[in-house]
Each structure stands twice: as structure tokens, then as C-alpha cells.
């Protein structure tokens, strides 16, 4: 809640792309900590989920909102939500299941969670690289024809 409440402060001082990179890199850090496996540090990093959520998802919703017209805003937000919560959850679940299946400890049905979380952390770093080099942040267009 604190992170979401302070998001406006941070967004007034940084670009959307920078904020989203903070969110993705925080997720990579969290999952690297999970791979490391120290239970005290894992517990200490659980609240970082708020940083990951606010600095990626909330910022992405705000970016879409500021770059849409009144006519397209609802559809743009709905499409983003379907991609993230629908397709993204489905694809993520499938990939997580495949990773768990391929990361079984030989001769057991136990998952090598260190490797599992390392795969997740590596994926977050890969996504951060795509975001850093592939996302071209544009200034919002000025809409001169307001809806009446």
C-alpha cells in the first residue's frame, strides 16, 4: 500500500520506462533471493512484491491511460488486462509447469527449487532487457477534440 501511495511521487521524477524496469528488476532480485534459499532473506524480500506490482503493472496501466483517448481508453486497458491476466497467466502457468517437470531431482519426484527460481529470475532479466532495448517511450499525444 505504501509503494502504491508513493508511486505518484516516483513517477513525477522518472520516466515510465525507468519505473517499469525497476519493477521487473525487483522481481528478478526477489527470485534470485528465492533461488539462494536463505529463509530469513526470503521472508525479508516478500514485501518487495509491492514494488514489483506497483512499478510494473500499475505503471503500465497508467502509461496506457495517458496514451489513450477517451474513446480508446477502456478497450486499451481491457486488451492489456486480457494479455497480462489471461494469456500471460496461462502461458506463465504452462512454462512454470514445464520448468518444474524438467527440474526434477534425478530419481525422485522432488523439484530442484534452486534451479526453478533461477529460471524465473533469468526470465525476469530477459524481460528487463527486452523492456530496456525494445520499449520506446513516447510523450502522450495532445487530444484537441474532447468528447462532448
Amino acid at each position: 500500500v505504501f509503494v502504491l501511495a508513493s508511486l505518484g511521487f516516483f513517477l513525477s521524477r522518472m520516466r515510465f520506462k525507468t519505473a517499469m524496469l525497476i519493477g521487473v528488476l525487483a522481481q528478478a532480485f526477489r527470485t534470485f533471493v528465492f533461488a539462494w534459499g536463505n529463509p530469513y532473506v526470503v521472508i525479508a524480500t516478500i514485501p518487495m512484491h509491492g514494488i514489483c506490482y506497483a512499478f510494473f503493472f500499475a505503471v503500465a496501466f497508467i502509461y496506457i491511460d495517458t496514451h489513450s483517448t477517451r474513446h480508446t481508453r477502456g478497450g486499451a486497458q481491457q486488451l492489456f488486462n486480457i494479455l497480462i491476466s489471461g494469456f500471460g497467466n496461462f502461458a506463465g502457468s504452462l512454462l512454470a509447469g514445464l520448468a518444474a517437470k524438467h527440474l526434477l531431482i534425478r530419481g525422485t519426484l522432488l523439484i530442484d527449487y534452486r534451479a526453478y527460481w533461477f529460471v524465473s529470475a533469468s526470465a525476469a532479466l530477459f524481460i528487463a532487457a527486452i523492456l530496456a532495448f525494445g520499449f520506446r517511450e513516447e510523450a502522450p499525444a495532445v487530444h484537441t477534440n474532447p468528447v462532448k
Side-chain angles (χ1 to χ4, degrees):
V1 174
F2 172 75
V3 177
L4 281 173
S6 61
L7 191 57
F9 171 81
F10 290 110
L11 284 178
S12 69
R13 288 162 174 72
M14 67 178 65
R15 297 173 48 169
F16 285 105
K17 182 178 180 177
T18 304
M20 289 189 289
L21 276 170
I22 289 171
V24 175
L25 291 173
Q27 178 65 14
F29 177 76
R30 280 182 70 224
T31 51
F32 272 122
V33 168
F34 291 177
W36 180 34
N38 181 315
Y40 299 109
V41 181
V42 167
I43 290 169
T45 59
I46 287 174
M48 283 187 69
H49 175 75
I51 295 170
C52 301
Y53 179 84
F55 277 83
F56 185 77
F57 291 107
V59 169
F61 276 113
I62 294 167
Y63 183 82
I64 291 169
D65 200 57
T66 60
H67 287 73
S68 302
T69 66
R70 294 174 82 182
H71 293 296
T72 62
R73 187 168 295 134
Q77 293 286 7
Q78 186 176 15
L79 177 62
F80 178 71
N81 206 18
I82 289 169
L83 289 173
I84 296 299
S85 298
F87 177 74
N89 269 348
F90 180 72
S93 296
L94 286 177
L95 291 173
L98 286 172
K101 180 180 175 183
H102 291 288
L103 295 172
L104 292 176
I105 298 171
R106 220 176 263 272
T108 72
L109 293 177
L110 301 173
I111 298 169
D112 179 357
Y113 280 105
R114 181 167 291 207
Y116 180 84
W117 287 114
F118 184 76
V119 168
S120 179
S122 299
L125 287 177
F126 178 71
I127 291 166
I130 290 172
L131 181 62
F133 298 110
F135 179 73
R136 195 180 84 219
E137 185 174 341
E138 298 176 2
V142 176
H143 304 290
T144 58
N145 297 328
V147 175
K148 295 180 183 182

